[in-house]
């Protein structure tokens, strides 16, 4: 995803995790980027897969509702947030998606995991989390949720990031 003008979201996966580390909900959709799909060898999504999928404009409201009032967590959070911000900006919306208000499991792995690499796959191995279908949005979201759950257990209470939550 080298440039904002050439890369688009083709799939979104959301996993809601409570402060106790338990998964409470999941949501996933393919997204029709209305252009070439980019590195298909990475994500495995083909043109036929997204031809009848909703556009980002079609899902933007649902996604905003799913993220509202939540701390966004991802492995390499800045990377994912750049794409989401760009998609919302294309629609004329400015959204408060910023790394300082989220948690990056890749960055947290330095403190809460022993791993020779900070890749999602290596971190999952170090945390004993089974990762399936790498680079699928929902499976990567599940893996990041598993890492967060592991880090919640290791960090103890109050978590070093507890200030991100507006309600205890």
């Amino acid at each position: 995803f080298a440039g904002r003008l050439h890369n688009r979201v083709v799939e979104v996966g959301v996993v809601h995790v409570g402060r106790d580390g338990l998964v409470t909900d999941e949501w996933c959709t393919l997204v029709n980027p209305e252009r070439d799909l980019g590195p298909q060898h990475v994500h495995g999504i083909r043109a036929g897969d997204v031809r009848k999928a909703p556009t980002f404009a079609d899902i933007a409201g649902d996604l905003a509702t799913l993220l509202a009032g939540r701390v966004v967590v991802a492995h390499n959070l800045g990377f994912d947030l750049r794409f989401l911000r760009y998609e919302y900006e294309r629609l004329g919306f400015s959204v408060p998606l910023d790394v300082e208000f989220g948690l990056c499991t890749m960055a947290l792995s330095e403190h809460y995991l022993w791993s020779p690499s900070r890749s999602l796959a290596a971190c999952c191995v170090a945390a004993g989390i089974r990762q399936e279908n790498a680079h699928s949005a929902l499976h990567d979201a599940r893996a990041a949720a598993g890492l967060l759950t592991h880090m919640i257990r290791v960090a103890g209470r109050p978590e070093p990031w507890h200030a991100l939550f507006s309600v205890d």
Side-chain angles (χ1 to χ4, degrees):
F1 296 91
R4 289 172 30 136
L5 300 176
H6 300 291
N7 298 296
R8 301 286 305 276
V9 169
V10 295
E11 186 178 29
V12 178
V14 175
V15 175
H16 282 170
V17 176
R19 289 201 50 199
D20 57 4
L22 296 177
V23 172
T24 59
D25 196 15
E26 295 185 343
W27 178 84
C28 184
T29 185
L30 289 173
V31 178
N32 184 337
E34 302 177 292
R35 61 163 302 274
D36 178 70
L37 291 176
Q40 294 177 33
H41 66 284
V42 173
H43 52 64
I45 298 170
R46 306 280 179 237
D49 299 331
V50 298
R51 187 165 293 133
K52 293 185 180 183
T55 64
F56 193 85
D58 295 330
I59 66 145
D62 291 337
L63 181 57
T65 298
L66 288 165
L67 299 179
R70 298 272 180 175
V71 175
V72 179
V73 178
H75 200 77
N76 198 353
L77 180 64
F79 180 85
D80 290 346
L81 290 184
R82 277 191 301 276
F83 278 89
L84 292 178
R85 274 195 313 268
Y86 173 66
E87 291 289 356
Y88 278 107
E89 287 170 5
R90 285 185 64 252
L91 299 174
F93 297 103
S94 176
V95 294
L97 294 171
D98 196 302
V99 293
E100 70 184 77
F101 303 116
L103 292 172
C104 178
T105 56
M106 186 170 72
L108 290 172
S109 70
E110 282 188 43
H111 305 286
Y112 299 104
L113 287 174
W114 183 92
S115 176
S117 165
R118 295 191 324 161
S119 73
L120 182 58
C123 288
C124 284
V125 168
I129 296 163
R130 186 170 168 229
Q131 185 189 16
E132 298 178 30
N133 200 9
H135 301 294
S136 151
L138 183 58
H139 290 96
D140 284 0
R142 286 175 178 161
L147 289 174
L148 176 64
T149 298
H150 174 82
M151 292 171 186
I152 287 170
R153 285 190 208 118
V154 172
R157 290 290 175 112
E159 310 92 335
W161 53 82
H162 75 277
L164 292 173
F165 299 98
S166 58
V167 181
D168 279 328

